[in-house]
Structure formats: C-alpha cells, structure tokens
Amino acid sequence: MKKVTSFIILFAFVLSLVACYSPEKISAPVSDKIVISSESTNAYIEITDTKIVQQITDHINYFEYQKLRSIADKSVVYTVEWLG
C-alpha cells in the first residue's frame, strides 16, 4: 500500500512540474523598425511597416527555435534587432 501511495504522489509531483513549465519569454521593446541581418553574407533587411513590426513583436515567443550542432560551411546566423 505504501508503494502505491508513493507512486501516486511521485506521479502527481512530476505531472505538476510538467504542467507548470513555461518556456522563457523574450520581451521585445516597442520600436519603429526591425533589422534582420545575416552574419555570413552581410545581407540585411529592414522592416519599417508598423503592422508587420507589431506582428513580429507580438509573435516572437511563438516561433520555434532549434539549437543544432555547428556545420562551418552550411551554418547561417541571423540577428534580429528592434530599433526605436
């Protein structure tokens, strides 16, 4: 009986940890322009349309990010800057 009770408590504890997990949120400042640049090609794009800037800012936490191992020849690094 003690094993069953211990298992139930452990299961409830693990479930509560998983249910309360929230990924780290990025807070972007209010800005007039977003610049997205590629460090490998030195190319960049400026976004100045206020509706698009607001959409990117509002949804930045919903984008999916992946950390991959580095492949020197094929890796591309992008930088996103909010400018006021």
Side-chain angles (χ1 to χ4, degrees), residues 2 9 16 24 28 42 46 50 55 62 66 69 72 77 79:
K2 288 183 182 180
I9 291 172
S16 68
E24 182 179 335
N42 292 328
E46 292 183 0
T50 55
Q55 285 179 342
Y62 300 106
Q66 291 181 329
R69 59 186 169 95
V77 177
T79 303

Side-chain angles (χ1 to χ4, degrees), residues 22-65:
S22 63
E24 182 179 335
K25 301 244 182 209
I26 300 170
S27 60
V30 175
S31 61
D32 302 326
K33 175 171 58 172
I34 293 178
V35 177
I36 302 173
S37 57
S38 169
E39 293 181 10
S40 60
T41 62
N42 292 328
Y44 69 93
I45 184 170
E46 292 183 0
I47 302 170
T48 56
D49 184 350
T50 55
K51 288 182 180 180
I52 296 174
V53 168
Q54 190 61 45
Q55 285 179 342
I56 292 172
T57 303
D58 290 344
H59 296 94
I60 193 71
N61 289 313
Y62 300 106
F63 296 147
E64 291 186 23
Y65 304 97

Side-chain angles (χ1 to χ4, degrees), residues 40 68-77:
S40 60
L68 303 173
R69 59 186 169 95
S70 177
I71 303 172
D73 297 338
K74 298 180 182 180
S75 63
V76 179
V77 177

